[in-house]
Amino acid sequence: MIMNEGLQDRLEKYGFSLYMIRITLAASLSWVAVHSIYGSQYLYFAPLAAILITQASVKASLEKGIYRLIGIILGGIVSLIVGQFFDVGGLSILLILLIGIGIATACKMNIQAVSQVGVTSVLALTFYQNDYVLWRIGETFIGVLIALVINMIIVPPNRFVKVKALAFEGSLLLADALKDLVGVRRDSPKDNLLEEAGKLLSNSSREQKEMFYTLTHYQCRGELKGLIQATSHLKSIHSYVKEIADDIRLLPAHHASSDWMKDVLESTADCIALYGTRTLSDAECQRSLADCIERARDLQLASFSELQGNCSLSSIRDLGAVFSHLNRVLEEVERAKSATYVVATRPSTAEVARALRFIKKGLSQKL
């Protein structure tokens, strides 16, 4: 169930967040399910598990649910063994904690599973019954299962559109960051645009993987795969742009601030912006990406060829690193162009304007 965005905003004003709705539904349904199956014994384990393992994402909930089940099983087994020989007391609790937590630690289990071993061991020994552990495992499993299903069904509104918008914004910021490298010096502050572009692409990538666990986005799995491919290529391009930034900081000022450096960086940045616009938005682009890449590559080759006859060997070496990474950016855009189909979305008016500004300014006026 994809909640209506307006409805969610109204509910959040009164404290009904998506997280709260997930928890309350999961806990209530877990209690109903266990009551209908087992009756009235140990009913609190299922809703308790549902409350404790419900997280913001399905993956996080699944991990926490697995850790909880592992801890319950191991703690229950240890407490049953120790309970056969000792009554409830300080010595028996000491033994089960030493044995249970020791085994969990030796197996390098997650800290959540380790703590659950201790909790279950003490409770199982205190309420020592042969069927207690089985009851708790069964009801905890039901609570975990229902909580996971709720997380997979109840998702934020327009999530797919928002995830694509993150990747689109990241591609435009990445192009901006490359253009702004003109004249950057070694003592210049870190490029905030480049960092922000990386964060947007990483956030989009994380959200895309999370969407594979949700049932309500099954119908857009094809588009989602295309979006994942496009974002992966953009993240590779981002790593190359970071290398370019480091290389330019080592150049003399007359090279880093030159007109030819500005033209080369802008033409390469236009390719990134055009790729993001054509792939991640429905903004109309009159110019083909292939022509943009060809023009940028010709400009790179012409500029580097001209420099070889006018620079020292040490300068050629440093400039070669810059041009090498610039060429890798174009190669990655070419691979992305051939591997990724268009993932259409409805970007905001401001984003479309920025994309068209790149296309018009960076391409049309320089032909």
Side-chain angles (χ1 to χ4, degrees):
M1 177 181 67
I2 303 179
M3 188 179 296
N4 179 270
E5 189 168 9
L7 175 61
Q8 186 190 20
D9 292 338
R10 289 193 295 272
L11 289 175
E12 287 185 350
K13 289 181 180 179
Y14 297 99
F16 294 94
S17 66
L18 193 64
Y19 178 71
M20 190 210 71
I21 293 173
R22 285 173 172 173
I23 283 183
T24 53
L25 281 177
S28 302
L29 292 176
S30 298
W31 190 93
V32 171
V34 171
H35 185 270
S36 63
I37 296 174
Y38 295 114
S40 60
Q41 196 170 14
Y42 303 125
L43 289 180
Y44 49 86
F45 289 137
L48 182 62
I51 292 171
L52 292 177
I53 71 106
T54 298
Q55 302 294 308
S57 67
V58 178
K59 183 179 179 181
S61 297
L62 177 61
E63 290 177 351
K64 196 161 187 177
I66 291 174
Y67 295 145
R68 185 171 179 81
L69 286 171
I70 291 174
I72 289 173
I73 292 171
L74 180 57
I77 292 174
V78 173
S79 63
L80 288 178
I81 295 174
V82 174
Q84 295 284 344
F85 304 98
F86 298 92
D87 294 329
V88 179
L91 179 60
S92 59
I93 291 177
L94 175 65
L95 286 175
I96 62 173
L97 290 179
L98 284 176
I99 296 172
I101 295 179
I103 293 174
T105 303
C107 295
K108 297 182 179 179
M109 293 183 180
N110 185 277
I111 187 63
Q112 297 181 52
V114 174
S115 61
Q116 188 60 54
V117 169
V119 172
T120 302
S121 299
V122 173
L123 288 175
L125 187 63
T126 304
F127 302 101
Y128 184 73
Q129 299 176 20
N130 289 332
D131 60 347
Y132 171 85
V133 176
L134 294 178
W135 277 96
R136 183 159 190 190
I137 292 174
E139 295 191 18
T140 299
F141 178 78
I142 292 174
V144 169
L145 182 62
I146 291 177
L148 289 175
V149 172
I150 292 296
N151 264 27
M152 295 170 69
I153 293 176
I154 300 180
V155 296
N158 298 326
R159 190 177 189 184
F160 189 38
V161 174
K162 292 177 180 178
V163 168
K164 287 186 288 186
L166 280 177
F168 180 45
E169 178 68 13
S171 68
L172 297 183
L173 278 180
L174 185 56
D176 277 334
L178 182 56
K179 292 181 64 175
D180 285 351
L181 293 179
V182 178
V184 67
R185 300 301 304 278
R186 185 177 304 184
D187 55 350
S188 300
K190 212 164 187 179
D191 193 338
N192 293 328
L193 283 180
L194 193 55
E195 284 189 352
E196 185 63 25
K199 289 179 182 178
L200 288 174
L201 293 174
S202 296
N203 291 341
S204 179
S205 180
R206 184 179 64 253
E207 292 288 333
Q208 292 162 24
K209 293 176 182 177
E210 172 64 20
M211 285 178 63
F212 267 109
Y213 296 97
T214 59
L215 299 177
T216 48
H217 291 97
Y218 182 81
Q219 69 274 15
C220 59
R221 290 294 176 91
E223 287 183 297
L224 184 57
K225 290 179 180 178
L227 178 59
I228 289 174
Q229 285 183 346
T231 308
S232 176
H233 287 295
L234 287 170
K235 290 175 71 176
S236 297
I237 293 171
H238 179 266
S239 66
Y240 292 140
V241 174
K242 288 178 65 177
E243 295 289 341
I244 294 170
D246 293 336
D247 293 337
I248 292 180
R249 282 187 170 90
L250 300 176
L251 294 178
H254 65 279
H255 286 320
S257 304
S258 62
D259 290 337
W260 60 261
M261 178 65 76
K262 178 181 178 182
D263 292 339
V264 168
L265 292 181
E266 285 188 354
S267 64
T268 307
D270 290 336
C271 295
I272 301 172
L274 183 56
Y275 169 72
T277 302
R278 293 180 65 89
T279 308
L280 302 173
S281 79
D282 58 357
E284 294 185 3
C285 304
Q286 300 299 323
R287 189 63 187 274
S288 73
L289 181 57
D291 292 340
C292 180
I293 295 173
E294 182 180 0
R295 180 189 173 280
R297 180 167 284 124
D298 290 342
L299 187 57
Q300 289 181 18
L301 291 174
S303 299
F304 190 59
S305 297
E306 184 177 350
L307 288 168
Q308 290 184 38
N310 301 314
C311 297
S312 63
L313 290 177
S314 60
S315 296
I316 290 296
R317 178 196 59 200
D318 294 336
L319 288 168
V322 176
F323 280 95
S324 176
H325 287 114
L326 284 169
N327 183 61
R328 289 193 178 100
V329 170
L330 296 182
E331 289 177 346
E332 191 65 33
V333 173
E334 283 181 322
R335 283 192 290 269
K337 171 179 171 292
S338 61
T340 308
Y341 56 86
V342 174
V343 184
T345 185
R346 289 278 179 186
S348 66
T349 304
E351 289 172 339
V352 173
R354 289 181 63 204
L356 294 178
R357 172 174 57 81
F358 267 109
I359 298 166
K360 292 178 180 179
K361 182 180 178 181
L363 302 178
S364 302
Q365 296 179 358
K366 298 179 182 177
L367 295 177

